[in-house]
Amino acid sequence: MRHVTNVPLRWADMDAYGHVNNMVYLRYLQEARVDMLFVHAHRQGAEGLAGGTVVARHAIDYLAPLTYRQRPLRVETWVRDIRNSTFTLGYELVDVEDGGERQVYAVATTTLVPYDLGSGRPRRVAPTERAVLDGYRDLDGPVPSSDGDAARTDHRAASVAVDPGNAKPFSYPCMVRFDDLDSYGHVNNVRFIEYLQEARIDFAHRYLFDALEAHEGSVVAGLSVDYLAPVPFRTEPLDVRVWVTRIGGSSFDLGYDVRDADTVYARASTTLVAYDVRARRSRTLVPEERAALEGFMADGDGVE
């Protein structure tokens, strides 16, 4: 059985292209997840899931642009996998027409870890929680191509687990804002995606935009991120490093880590598709753009 949450769109969710920003999709997933685990699962006897769960991994593929409208977006959530101390949710963000036809905007997965807030440590999935989660199982649901379980050879999934090697990463100092914190006192998982976006846009402004016409840009087609350590509030900025892991004919992949001198807090990867805003379709990477990207790649590996 899938859990259904109707999530309203906000005017502020739109990006410069007039579409829902890629980061905001993760907020919609969070709203659906909270509704499923903190409200409905709690009512069924799984109070511990509302008491403490932390996100270990996100993966999402963006399949179609979503523009502003007054009716809500349907987010379907189900359980893909339950293990001793983790469980994985699947999602589809869809519109369903009266005849049953589905417009799918994104598919995603989230791996969650039950967490004991008192001890500050992960814990096992309790039997009562497992019984409630079993009621939401859908093993046949779609998964994003960036999900490691579904596509272990996918370049985006692989790039999350590695460092930039001898690539020259771009470094972006990112401040932690007080309102970035969630109810656990840590930076919320969605905020990490915003940090990646800030670093990526700064990178593009410095190295890519001069090679492009005003109507040329790029859109995020897929994202995967592993959360490795919590970030409490801090006054020193985080270092978000960005490097290139693949360059194709009309797309490229970026790797990231979020860190300070002592700790790596998250590793991530995005696939970006070169986009013509005026024509509303993908475009070929221009030579100057490709040359700038190659400057942040290790030994030219991954160039197609």
Side-chain angles (χ1 to χ4, degrees):
M1 179 182 71
R2 294 188 176 190
H3 178 76
V4 175
T5 307
N6 292 312
V7 178
L9 276 65
R10 304 170 183 85
W11 180 251
D13 294 348
M14 303 298 114
D15 61 19
Y17 297 160
H19 305 147
V20 171
N21 183 273
N22 71 91
M23 180 201 71
V24 174
Y25 282 73
L26 278 295
R27 193 175 297 148
Y28 296 162
L29 301 185
Q30 180 169 254
E31 292 184 27
R33 186 169 63 250
V34 167
D35 184 54
M36 176 180 168
L37 299 179
F38 287 33
V39 179
H40 291 270
H42 184 279
R43 291 173 182 168
Q44 298 173 60
E47 296 90 349
L49 296 178
T53 53
V54 295
V55 174
R57 189 171 198 274
H58 280 313
I60 183 168
D61 280 347
Y62 303 93
L63 306 180
L66 178 60
T67 56
Y68 180 75
R69 79 285 181 89
Q70 292 187 313
R71 70 182 187 280
L73 177 68
R74 178 184 175 104
V75 182
E76 299 180 0
T77 310
W78 64 92
V79 174
R80 290 189 54 223
D81 181 56
I82 309 172
R83 303 193 178 186
N84 288 336
S85 57
T86 66
F87 61 97
T88 300
L89 301 181
Y91 314 81
E92 277 190 303
L93 290 79
V94 300
D95 283 330
V96 181
E97 304 298 333
D98 292 338
E101 184 177 350
R102 298 168 67 85
Q103 169 64 64
V104 182
Y105 298 100
V107 296
T109 61
T110 301
T111 298
L112 294 119
V113 179
Y115 198 74
D116 187 320
L117 295 177
S119 65
R121 297 175 62 87
R123 61 173 179 82
R124 297 171 71 89
V125 178
T128 53
E129 296 166 346
R130 183 179 294 270
V132 171
L133 292 171
D134 270 329
Y136 291 104
R137 275 192 181 269
D138 182 354
L139 301 180
D140 297 324
V143 296
S145 63
S146 50
D147 181 80
D149 292 334
R152 294 188 183 276
T153 60
D154 182 85
H155 49 77
R156 275 185 282 131
S159 68
V160 172
V162 300
D163 62 37
N166 61 336
K168 181 184 73 172
F170 169 75
S171 181
Y172 175 78
C174 186
M175 297 300 299
V176 174
R177 308 168 190 87
F178 187 75
D179 64 355
D180 291 348
L181 306 189
D182 59 21
S183 59
Y184 301 158
H186 302 148
V187 172
N188 182 269
N189 67 90
V190 178
R191 291 300 189 185
F192 277 82
I193 314 304
E194 184 175 348
Y195 297 167
L196 303 182
Q197 178 173 259
E198 289 184 22
R200 183 173 63 248
I201 290 175
D202 192 53
F203 169 77
H205 269 283
R206 292 174 184 270
Y207 297 102
L208 302 181
F209 283 2
D210 285 348
L212 302 175
E213 300 293 335
H215 61 91
E216 295 174 328
S218 60
V219 294
V220 176
L223 161 74
S224 55
V225 55
D226 285 334
Y227 300 92
L228 306 179
V231 178
F233 179 71
R234 51 187 288 154
T235 56
E236 291 297 315
L238 294 166
D239 182 17
V240 184
R241 299 194 305 170
V242 185
W243 61 94
V244 179
T245 61
R246 183 190 65 90
I247 306 173
S250 59
S251 66
F252 58 97
D253 293 350
L254 298 178
Y256 312 76
D257 59 27
V258 181
R259 62 187 299 136
D260 58 23
D262 302 314
T263 305
V264 178
Y265 297 100
R267 294 192 188 277
S269 182
T270 53
T271 292
L272 291 106
V273 175
Y275 188 70
D276 187 317
V277 180
R278 189 166 57 198
R280 297 185 179 182
R281 55 182 169 83
S282 62
R283 59 175 179 82
T284 302
L285 293 171
V286 302
E288 295 83 0
E289 183 180 22
R290 177 182 290 271
L293 291 169
E294 288 175 354
F296 290 89
M297 175 174 266
D299 296 333
D301 291 342
V303 178
E304 298 174 6

